[in-house]
Amino acid sequence: MTKYIFVTGGVTSSLGKGIISASLAKLLQSRGYRVTIQKFDPYINIDPGTLNPYEHGECYVTEDGAETDLDLGHYERFLNTPTSKANNITTGRIYQNVINKEREGAFLGKTVQVVPHITDEIKRNIRILGESGDYDIVITELGGTVGDIESLPYIEAVRQFRWENGSGNSLVIHLTLIPFLAAAGELKTKPTQHSVKMLLEYGIQPDILVCRTEHHLTMDIRKKIALFCNVNINAVIESIDASTIYDVPLLMLKEQLDKTVLTKLKLPHKIDPALENWKDFLGRLKNPTSEVKIGLVGKYVELPDAYKSISESFIHAGAKNECKVHVEYIPSEQLTPENAVEKLKGLHGVLVAPGFGERGFEGKIEAIRYVRENNIPFFGICLGMQCAVVEFARNVLSLKDASSTEMNPDTPHPVIGMMEEQKKIVLKGGTMRLGAYPCDLKKGSKAANFYGKTHISERHRHRYEFNNDYLKDYENAGLTPTGINPENNLVEIVELKNHPFFVGAQFHPELKSTVANPHPLFINFVAASMAYARKK
Ligand code: GLN
């Protein structure tokens, strides 16, 4: 029977519920359990696909094409197992399902209410992953903070779920803050006491408290928290600020969070955690033998969370190469033909980021011209690849006003455009190419060499495509399409001949890089940047 762990948050947001959930999952996985993590988001959007990355960070895409919260990226990077649309549910989705059922007449004339209909739908979604038979333990992270109006139905659903499932089959971990008051020179437990009291008001006694803190918790503080919040002393877990999120599983291991969880769920401790590979990764991450500076040219650079998966991929690939990768965020809007040299000099590689819309487009083109002409390693992802195709058309193929029809619908040379079939779908409701698609790599290409195979699958999130009418022109001039979708012939990778590293990918490799499996394109891009740095 599947066991369930709920993770709630108190006192403030941004305490790192996602990282704690992922770290606990990692420890349980390393003891031989099959674990997955699910996140409930209390907002009304159906999914984060329509949210501004400035507000909510990156939109993470799963294999089955769901647009989800960026925490799912952490789950995959820690666990090295894919998530799916069942792993991220929003209030909007819950209400949509209930309202659709109401329209179908499924409630037989009853008044449809938050309790029981919304809470029942929440509980149904909690069970979906458990009932798949694929997992021993499902960790469900409740977004938001206890006490928020939006979170109430979720807390109530968890209360009911626990009551119905019987004791020993689920537990609640409450993540809370122990602030340090500099003036008093003391850690303060009162906010934690209040947030546990609020949970109690809703009928939930947390089993474990994970306490975020900047200073170590003394035994006295632990005792005080245990006494006032009705938890065992070994269920008061210290979560001290870490230098990297990848330290957190080991910090939780030291606090014996995994043991406490297994005991409370009446599960055998099985084997000792097998974390050799994880520790090896941390060793490489913390002891780099070289460093490089890579520019990330994008439009959402003010909020680094907008490029979370890319910066994490650099951490994985850097560790693999024992190289510290400094990522310098460069706003594409500020790049002009006049200042590109000034802004990009000193970089050992340039990544042009994914994105939507016209803003910053011309700056990205400038950056690419500079790195192409100066043999600086270049990696273009999604819009970044499309920009590389446009730049090449304008400056090498001499198609002066070439563009993507996203930026200029009337361009005489639409080297990036929308496929006819795609146009019909867009008219029906604006769908994108989302999720995993196969790709065949040309034998002997750099890409095939990097991957070490010729059949791959990568995740997508875009509307526009390389226009195959221009395929021959590109091939003849040296920007070669080396990755092709075997189902519809769409170009998925381009690479430049006679350049140390110039690769554009229509898909998002950053979504598949994990600690256990750093992405080959990132590994080789970092290696090329290291080679460039050595030459300089
Ligand atoms: N805006 C481009 C498209 O829709 C690229 C999208 C992206 O970079 N994710 O095709």
Side-chain angles (χ1 to χ4, degrees):
M1 196 178 124
T2 307
K3 306 272 185 168
Y4 294 86
I5 299 173
F6 299 98
V7 180
T8 59
V11 184
T12 112
S13 58
S14 306
L15 289 182
K17 274 191 299 245
I19 302 298
I20 291 293
S21 302
S23 300
L24 172 60
K26 183 76 223 167
L27 293 180
L28 297 172
Q29 183 193 53
S30 74
R31 283 184 180 270
Y33 287 100
R34 298 170 307 158
V35 193
T36 191
I37 318 173
Q38 173 186 46
K39 177 157 192 212
F40 283 116
D41 276 310
Y43 49 73
I44 319 267
N45 305 60
I46 300 290
D47 63 43
T50 51
L51 285 174
N52 186 339
Y54 278 127
E55 244 181 71
H56 211 79
E58 148 190 298
C59 171
Y60 188 80
V61 179
T62 57
E63 288 287 296
D64 60 352
E67 296 177 283
T68 70
D69 185 80
L70 57 74
D71 270 350
L72 272 77
H74 291 307
Y75 307 161
E76 291 203 11
R77 289 188 280 273
F78 276 56
L79 294 180
N80 197 37
T81 54
T83 53
S84 71
K85 66 174 189 295
N87 291 72
N88 189 200
I89 313 284
T90 68
T91 293
R93 173 84 65 202
I94 297 282
Y95 271 79
Q96 190 182 47
N97 292 347
V98 171
I99 291 169
N100 286 345
K101 277 191 209 155
E102 188 271 338
R103 292 289 87 181
E104 288 160 11
F107 298 114
L108 303 170
K110 286 250 176 298
T111 310
V112 181
Q113 295 177 295
V114 173
V115 182
H117 301 99
I118 296 298
T119 45
D120 279 353
E121 179 62 14
I122 295 173
K123 286 190 286 179
R124 189 182 73 80
N125 278 279
I126 295 171
R127 277 190 218 101
I128 287 177
L129 287 165
E131 286 171 357
S132 69
D134 295 335
Y135 306 105
D136 306 311
I137 301 170
V138 176
I139 300 180
T140 299
E141 180 192 339
L142 304 188
T145 307
V146 171
D148 294 351
I149 293 174
E150 290 94 336
S151 306
L152 270 176
Y154 293 96
I155 306 278
E156 168 61 11
V158 169
R159 188 196 65 76
Q160 292 180 14
F161 186 94
R162 299 194 73 197
W163 177 251
E164 290 166 351
N165 264 36
S167 69
N169 296 320
S170 68
L171 61 80
V172 170
I173 298 179
H174 187 57
L175 183 58
T176 173
L177 178 71
I178 309 288
F180 180 77
L181 282 199
E186 265 181 342
L187 287 168
K188 291 294 182 187
T189 66
K190 196 74 69 160
T192 296
Q193 295 179 41
H194 279 298
S195 98
V196 169
K197 236 179 226 143
M198 196 169 284
L199 261 181
L200 284 168
E201 259 174 48
Y202 301 142
I204 291 183
Q205 165 66 53
D207 300 278
I208 296 175
L209 297 176
V210 174
C211 305
R212 281 302 306 275
T213 173
E214 289 169 12
H215 298 267
H216 286 294
L217 301 183
T218 60
M219 201 29 121
D220 279 350
I221 293 267
R222 287 181 195 248
K223 278 187 190 152
K224 193 168 166 186
I225 296 169
L227 179 66
F228 291 130
C229 301
N230 326 316
V231 295
N232 303 334
I233 184 96
N234 65 356
V236 178
I237 306 288
E238 171 191 285
S239 170
I240 198 143
D241 288 357
S243 62
T244 151
I245 54 170
Y246 299 107
D247 269 339
V248 180
L250 298 183
L251 293 173
M252 291 302 109
L253 181 70
K254 220 168 113 204
E255 288 286 303
Q256 307 200 328
L257 175 61
D258 53 331
K259 277 192 183 167
T260 306
V261 162
L262 291 174
T263 306
K264 286 192 186 285
L265 289 176
K266 303 195 177 84
L267 288 171
H269 289 191
K270 285 198 184 176
I271 49 169
D272 279 341
L275 288 166
E276 289 71 28
N277 292 342
W278 193 271
K279 287 180 187 163
D280 177 60
F281 158 77
L282 276 176
R284 288 164 168 271
L285 179 66
K286 292 184 176 180
N287 298 289
T289 52
S290 61
E291 48 189 295
V292 291
K293 204 153 78 174
I294 289 180
L296 194 160
V297 178
K299 104 177 172 184
Y300 308 111
V301 292
E302 291 90 340
L303 182 73
D305 264 5
Y307 300 114
K308 196 75 199 159
S309 292
I310 292 178
S311 54
E312 296 303 317
S313 299
F314 276 127
I315 293 176
H316 308 153
K320 182 84 186 169
N321 284 297
E322 292 182 23
C323 173
K324 167 92 191 137
V325 180
H326 299 277
V327 178
E328 198 169 296
Y329 294 89
I330 300 169
S332 46
E333 268 173 295
Q334 293 172 11
L335 284 172
T336 62
E338 293 72 39
N339 71 12
V341 181
E342 183 57 34
K343 296 232 179 221
L344 301 174
K345 75 166 191 262
L347 295 173
H348 307 121
V350 169
L351 184 147
V352 176
F356 291 84
E358 203 187 347
R359 190 160 66 80
F361 181 71
E362 296 300 328
K364 289 179 172 174
I365 302 273
E366 271 322 307
I368 295 169
R369 189 182 56 80
Y370 175 73
V371 294
R372 182 177 56 76
E373 290 174 351
N374 290 285
N375 286 321
I376 299 167
F378 162 74
F379 191 10
I381 297 182
C382 209
L383 181 61
M385 172 267 199
Q386 298 176 351
C387 290
V389 169
V390 170
E391 189 278 329
F392 197 81
R394 289 185 189 171
N395 300 325
V396 181
L397 302 180
S398 305
L399 304 173
K400 264 210 155 335
D401 298 312
S403 195
S404 158
T405 54
E406 180 183 7
M407 315 305 161
N408 176 8
D410 303 320
T411 167
H413 308 292
V415 289
I416 300 290
M418 210 179 274
M419 304 295 96
E420 283 308 316
E421 312 94 79
Q422 195 94 2
K423 283 184 193 160
K424 288 177 214 147
I425 304 172
V426 170
L427 282 178
K428 276 195 214 148
T431 16
M432 283 195 260
R433 185 143 78 105
L434 281 167
Y437 284 86
C439 171
D440 286 349
L441 304 179
K442 267 211 180 97
K443 285 204 183 73
S445 65
K446 278 188 190 155
N449 183 19
F450 297 153
Y451 278 90
K453 54 185 175 188
T454 51
H455 299 292
I456 59 165
S457 164
E458 291 280 4
R459 296 185 205 167
H460 292 249
R461 181 176 186 242
H462 57 100
R463 293 197 177 86
Y464 297 86
E465 308 281 354
F466 182 96
N467 183 346
N468 277 338
D469 292 348
Y470 295 88
L471 196 80
K472 280 275 158 286
D473 302 331
Y474 278 91
E475 238 163 13
N476 294 339
L479 186 64
T480 327
T482 54
I484 305 288
N485 182 323
E487 287 164 359
N488 48 24
N489 255 338
L490 292 173
V491 171
E492 313 283 38
I493 303 182
V494 293
E495 56 186 70
L496 188 62
K497 277 195 188 138
N498 306 322
H499 189 286
F501 189 105
F502 190 101
V503 176
Q506 183 59 81
F507 49 81
H508 290 266
E510 74 277 20
L511 302 176
K512 286 185 69 167
S513 184
T514 68
V515 168
N517 269 323
H519 197 284
L521 291 181
F522 276 90
I523 296 174
N524 284 281
F525 176 50
V526 170
S529 304
M530 289 161 69
Y532 182 83
R534 277 196 298 271
K535 268 202 321 223
K536 278 198 97 184

